[in-house]
Amino acid sequence: MTLKLALASVLMPLAAFVALPAAAQQLDLPDVEDTAQSGDEEGQGTVVTVTADSWNDLGIAIASFATNRDVPTPANSSGTAALGLELSRVVYNDLRFNGLFRPVGPDSLPRPSYGQITDPAWGTWRGRSAEMLVHGYVRANDDGRLTVGCYLYDVELEIELVREGWVVNPGEWRRAAHKCSDLVYSRLSGEDPFFDSRIAYIAETGPPEARIKRLAIMDSDGANHRFITNGQSTALTPRYSPDYSKIAYLSYVDGNPRIYVYDIGTGRQTLVTESSNPTFAPRWSPDGRWILYSMAIAGNTDIYRVPSSGGGRPERLTFSPAIEVGGSYSPDGSRIVFESDQSGAQQCYIMNADGSNQRRISFFGGRCATPEWSPRGDQIAFTHIAGDFHIAVMNTDGRNMRTLTNAWHDEAPTWAPNGRIIQFFRTERGTGNTSIWQVDLTGENERRLRTPVGASDPAWGPVLP
C-alpha cells in the first residue's frame, strides 16, 4: 500500500472539522513502502507501554512541520513554512506542560524537509537522545483550507507508531495541532485525549469592590480567547453541557439570579429558571436533561434540579434544615456529591440522584467544599479548607485524601476530559486578583494558564466533536 492510500484511509473518519472531499483524500506525499503501520495486516502492530514512573524520562523530539510549497495562507501571512513552525510549537507546549514527558521543541532542532516527514533521518535523532520523534506537515489546498499530517516514530526501532491527518479551515489550524498532541499523548500514555478541548471561565476586571464578571471561553492552552457576555450583568459558575454544545451559567439581572443556557453554535440564550431567592452553582446531568443547582428559601438552602430546556418546574432533592450547596453528578448519573453542614461543619456528602440515601464521606481534618466528580468516576476533587484553601482529591468513599496544591487560596476544581488534570482558580493574598491554574494528579506539575484579564470559576469542557 502506498503512503497516499494509507493516509487517505486515516483521514476519512476525521472529517469532524469539515467535510472531506474526494480530492483531499489523496495526500501528495512521497510514496514509501508501507512497512511501518501502527498495526500490520495481522494486527500485530507495535505497542508502546509507558508507566507513570517512566513518563518523565521519555524524550520526544518535536520537529518543525514541513510544507510542500511555502505559500501565504490566511492562517499565517508569512506562509505555510512559518505556520508549520507554529503548529509544532503548539504540540511542544501541549506535551511539555502536562508533566508526563521530556519533549524538545522545534526551535532547537533541525528542520526536516518535506520528503523526510515519511523518511526520517534516524541518525540525526538518535544523536539527540530522542526516543520518540514527532514529524508533521502542512499543505495549503486549492480551496483555501489546510491539510495537516502528524506522525509519531520510535527512533530506536526506526518504525512509525501512528499517523493521522486533518483537513481544516485556516482559522482552525490550532485544533489540528491539538489533535496531533492528543494523538501522541494517547498513543504513548494509554490515556484518553484532552488537548482539543475548551475552557469556560469568568473574566474579572475592575476594582475588588466593584468587579465586572463576564462569561468567556478559550482553548485548553489559553489561546483563542473571547467574551460571551458584555458585563452589564454579573456572570458566575459556568459549566459545559456533556455534548459541548451549550454552557449553563448563573447571571444576576436587576439583582435577581437567573440560570441561562448559552448555545455555542447559535449564540442564543435560554432562560432555564429565575428566582428572587439566592441561587448557586448550576451543573449538568450526564445526559444533558437536567440542571442541578442550589437555592435558599427563608434561610434554608437545598439542592434542586430543573429541565435544561427551560420552562420546567424545579424539583427539590434535599429537605434537611442544614445548608446543602453545590452538587456534581457521577458520570453514570446515579449519584450526586454535594456539600452540607448537617454535621455542624461544611463537609462533603453523597446521595442518590433522587436525593435519597445521603451519607457523609469526608472525615479528615478541616472542611470540604465545591466537590466535583471525576469523568472517570473513581475520584472526587474538592476544595480542602484547613486554614488556607487547597485543591485535594479523594476516592468516592472519602478515603485516600491527597492535597495537590499548597497556596493561600485555591478553590473550585474542574476536571480535564480525561480525568488526569485538575484546573482551579487562585486568589492572591492582599490584592484579591484571581488567575486560573492547573495541576496533575501527582501534585508535582502546576501551571498557570495565561488569560488577558483576571479569571475565576473555570469549567473544562469535553473533547471537541
Side-chain angles (χ1 to χ4, degrees):
M1 183 188 294
T2 67
L3 181 60
K4 292 182 181 180
L5 293 177
L7 270 174
S9 66
V10 172
L11 276 167
M12 285 301 291
L14 297 170
F17 283 11
V18 290
L20 190 61
Q25 295 173 20
Q26 299 294 322
L27 304 186
D28 188 17
L29 288 178
D31 289 342
V32 296
E33 291 299 320
D34 192 20
T35 58
Q37 297 291 325
S38 57
D40 62 21
E41 294 179 357
E42 298 179 359
Q44 302 297 318
T46 301
V47 176
V48 176
T49 301
V50 183
T51 66
D53 291 336
S54 66
W55 273 335
N56 288 327
D57 296 326
L58 188 66
I60 306 176
I62 303 163
S64 180
F65 284 27
T67 186
N68 63 325
R69 189 165 53 97
D70 188 13
V71 296
T73 168
N76 192 313
S77 59
S78 298
T80 50
L83 179 60
L85 180 59
E86 291 303 314
L87 281 159
S88 58
R89 284 171 174 165
V90 172
V91 176
Y92 166 63
N93 285 323
D94 281 345
L95 296 177
R96 79 186 176 106
F97 283 131
N98 64 69
L100 298 185
F101 309 119
R102 182 170 49 84
V104 178
D107 292 287
S108 60
L109 295 175
R111 296 189 182 185
S113 67
Y114 187 63
Q116 288 176 327
I117 296 305
T118 57
D119 186 20
W122 300 113
T124 297
W125 303 111
R126 277 195 301 273
R128 292 179 175 271
S129 301
E131 290 96 340
M132 300 293 161
L133 170 65
V134 176
H135 269 180
Y137 73 90
V138 57
R139 191 184 72 193
N141 301 336
D142 292 339
D143 62 2
R145 294 182 296 177
L146 301 167
T147 299
V148 179
C150 176
Y151 304 75
L152 175 64
Y153 294 101
D154 185 310
V155 175
E156 182 178 353
L157 299 180
E158 298 188 7
I159 60 171
E160 175 191 302
L161 297 180
V162 68
R163 70 175 84 158
E164 284 190 15
W166 306 272
V167 174
V168 299
N169 291 317
E172 292 188 306
W173 69 268
R174 294 185 68 91
R175 282 201 62 193
H178 291 316
K179 285 288 188 185
C180 181
S181 304
D182 279 333
L183 178 71
V184 174
Y185 175 86
S186 297
R187 186 66 173 85
L188 295 180
S189 72
E191 303 277 353
D192 290 335
F194 70 95
F195 294 113
D196 187 28
S197 58
R198 291 194 177 130
I199 295 160
Y201 73 99
I202 299 304
E204 299 192 10
T205 55
E209 67 276 7
R211 283 274 198 252
I212 296 174
K213 298 188 176 185
R214 291 181 285 177
L215 176 62
I217 60 175
M218 60 185 170
D219 292 352
S220 67
D221 60 353
N224 291 328
H225 171 277
R226 65 187 177 102
F227 295 109
I228 301 300
T229 59
N230 57 20
Q232 293 181 353
S233 58
T234 296
L236 298 169
T237 59
R239 280 299 184 271
Y240 276 101
S241 63
D243 65 356
Y244 172 73
S245 65
K246 301 177 180 67
I247 298 174
Y249 72 100
L250 184 67
S251 178
Y252 278 83
V253 180
D254 300 326
N256 291 324
R258 298 178 179 179
I259 295 176
Y260 286 98
V261 167
Y262 171 80
D263 189 296
I264 297 173
T266 66
R268 181 173 174 264
Q269 294 203 119
T270 301
L271 177 64
V272 174
T273 186
E274 63 178 320
S275 173
S276 59
N277 298 304
T279 302
F280 316 97
R283 298 290 187 268
W284 293 87
S285 64
D287 60 8
R289 295 177 54 206
W290 301 96
I291 299 289
L292 200 69
Y293 68 100
S294 300
M295 183 167 61
I297 299 178
N300 186 36
T301 303
D302 284 291
I303 295 174
Y304 296 75
R305 72 175 188 175
V306 65
S308 60
S309 56
R313 185 179 182 85
E315 177 184 350
R316 186 176 174 182
L317 298 180
T318 61
F319 295 86
S320 164
I323 296 174
E324 276 84 34
V325 178
S328 170
Y329 281 95
S330 61
D332 64 3
S334 66
R335 292 178 292 170
I336 295 169
V337 62
F338 63 101
E339 59 182 276
S340 173
D341 65 352
Q342 294 178 26
S343 65
Q346 188 179 19
Q347 298 295 339
C348 288
Y349 289 71
I350 284 179
M351 64 181 178
N352 294 338
D354 62 1
S356 64
N357 193 26
Q358 297 181 19
R359 59 187 180 88
R360 178 178 167 182
I361 60 171
S362 58
F363 291 94
F364 36 79
R367 291 177 287 156
C368 180
T370 65
E372 182 156 311
W373 219 300
S374 165
R376 294 182 176 188
D378 60 340
Q379 295 189 83
I380 291 168
F382 63 98
T383 304
H384 184 213
I385 306 171
D388 295 336
F389 287 51
H390 306 299
I391 301 302
V393 293
M394 60 182 165
N395 293 353
T396 58
D397 60 4
R399 298 179 181 178
N400 298 324
M401 191 275 281
R402 294 186 297 114
T403 301
L404 302 182
T405 69
N406 194 34
W408 173 64
H409 197 121
D410 296 340
E411 60 181 313
T414 177
W415 292 89
N418 69 350
R420 181 172 176 81
I421 295 174
I422 296 171
Q423 209 161 80
F424 58 94
F425 78 94
R426 176 169 291 173
T427 303
E428 293 179 6
R429 190 195 299 265
T431 68
N433 293 333
T434 56
S435 54
I436 294 177
W437 290 70
Q438 63 187 40
V439 63
D440 68 5
L441 289 179
T442 69
E444 297 177 358
N445 296 286
E446 280 192 11
R447 173 198 175 193
R448 180 178 177 179
L449 201 63
R450 299 292 176 180
T451 54
V453 296
S456 62
D457 283 339
W460 209 324
V463 172
L464 291 167

